[in-house]
């Protein structure tokens, strides 16, 4: 099947992001600020799933590394999202090792999850993530499912890109995201369409990664 689609918000911004990154690599500080503005909300929301209230400090460390190594990056806007998410994840894991605690799903900012409202069960589940109830449900997902959903919905990565960030096979990440979204759909009161609708929609949206 085809490659996964990114959430519409991230996809719409990737052209602007790619252009800003290219200018930033030529030394344009204003362009770097544009790239930061586009990427930071999703990155911060993702980090909250790992380190809770320490997310801003970890994000700051990640951005120092991003700025330092910007010249080494090659790719487009979507690639830059994946690259920055990988750096942020490494900084979060380092932080947790120092604290000697394990990663856990955490609070996700509702404004980061401000998604459009298509009609499918899968997209209804994603849209409902902006509610307080759904935020609590995400925190209850198994770690692999929570992180897969965070990367797909909050950061805006497609399936293969999310797999690269996690260092896992795309199929494993796709399965985790599918199970997490299906569980959210069921828990959010969409059970009637969950078995029938989520399977087809998740396969199309998340992609049949090999």
């Amino acid at each position: 099947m085809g490659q996964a689609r990114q959430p519409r918000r991230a996809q719409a911004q990737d052209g602007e992001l790619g252009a800003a990154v290219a200018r930033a690599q030529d030394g344009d500080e204003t362009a770097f600020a544009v790239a930061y503005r586009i990427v930071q909300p999703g990155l911060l929301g993702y980090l909250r799933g790992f380190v809770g209230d320490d997310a801003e400090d970890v994000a700051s460390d990640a951005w120092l590394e991003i700025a330092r190594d910007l010249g080494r990056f090659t790719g487009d806007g979507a690639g830059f999202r994946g690259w920055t998410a990988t750096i942020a994840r490494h900084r979060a894991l380092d932080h947790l090792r120092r604290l000697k605690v394990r990663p856990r799903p955490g609070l996700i900012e509702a404004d980061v999850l401000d998604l459009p409202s298509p009609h499918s069960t899968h997209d209804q589940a994603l849209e409902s993530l902006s509610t307080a109830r759904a935020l609590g449900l995400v925190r209850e997902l198994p770690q692999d499912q929570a992180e897969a959903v965070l990367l797909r919905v909050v950061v805006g990565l497609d399936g293969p890109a999310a797999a690269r960030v996690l260092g896992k096979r795309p199929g494993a990440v796709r399965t985790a995201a599918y199970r997490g979204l299906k569980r959210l759909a069921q828990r959010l009161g969409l059970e009637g369409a969950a078995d029938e609708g989520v399977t087809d929609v998740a396969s199309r949206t998340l992609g049949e990664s090999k």
Side-chain angles (χ1 to χ4, degrees):
M1 300 288 292
Q3 187 176 0
R5 296 175 302 162
Q6 290 175 290
R8 289 175 180 83
R9 170 186 281 185
Q11 190 175 49
Q13 291 179 319
D14 277 343
E16 179 185 2
L17 176 58
V21 170
R23 295 196 306 273
Q25 288 179 314
D26 289 333
D28 187 333
E29 294 182 3
T30 301
F32 185 82
V34 171
Y36 174 88
R37 173 181 57 80
I38 293 173
V39 172
Q40 172 68 355
L43 206 63
L44 187 61
Y46 173 59
L47 287 170
R48 288 187 188 278
F50 274 93
V51 298
D53 292 339
D54 294 332
E56 291 189 4
D57 290 339
V58 175
S60 295
D61 290 341
W63 278 104
L64 288 174
E65 183 172 343
I66 291 164
R68 184 193 69 196
D69 295 340
L70 184 62
R72 301 179 184 177
F73 170 74
T74 58
D76 56 11
F80 187 73
R81 287 184 192 277
W83 184 67
T84 56
T86 299
I87 291 173
R89 186 172 191 266
H90 288 164
R91 298 290 70 74
L93 292 173
D94 288 345
H95 176 80
L96 291 169
R97 289 186 190 103
R98 289 194 295 270
L99 296 178
K100 296 183 179 180
V101 297
R102 298 183 60 182
R104 56 172 177 74
L107 179 64
I108 307 166
E109 294 177 317
D111 59 345
V112 172
L113 299 174
D114 180 19
L115 300 172
S117 53
H119 300 295
S120 70
T121 302
H122 167 270
D123 286 335
Q124 289 174 30
L126 298 187
E127 179 189 10
S128 297
L129 285 173
S130 63
T131 68
R133 177 189 173 202
L135 295 181
L137 294 178
V138 170
R139 294 196 297 272
E140 296 173 4
L141 290 175
Q143 177 62 32
D144 62 332
Q145 296 178 19
E147 191 168 4
V149 170
L150 286 168
L151 285 170
R152 290 286 290 117
V153 180
V154 182
V155 181
L157 301 184
D158 62 17
R164 287 192 293 271
V165 171
L166 296 174
K168 297 182 178 180
R169 295 178 61 87
V173 176
R174 173 193 170 274
T175 298
Y178 164 80
R179 289 175 177 170
L181 290 169
K182 182 174 181 180
R183 182 175 296 189
L184 287 172
Q186 293 171 333
R187 296 289 299 276
L188 289 167
L190 302 172
E191 292 90 340
D195 290 333
E196 179 178 352
V198 172
T199 301
D200 292 339
V201 175
S203 294
R204 183 174 68 253
T205 302
L206 297 175
E208 295 285 354
S209 304
K210 295 181 180 180

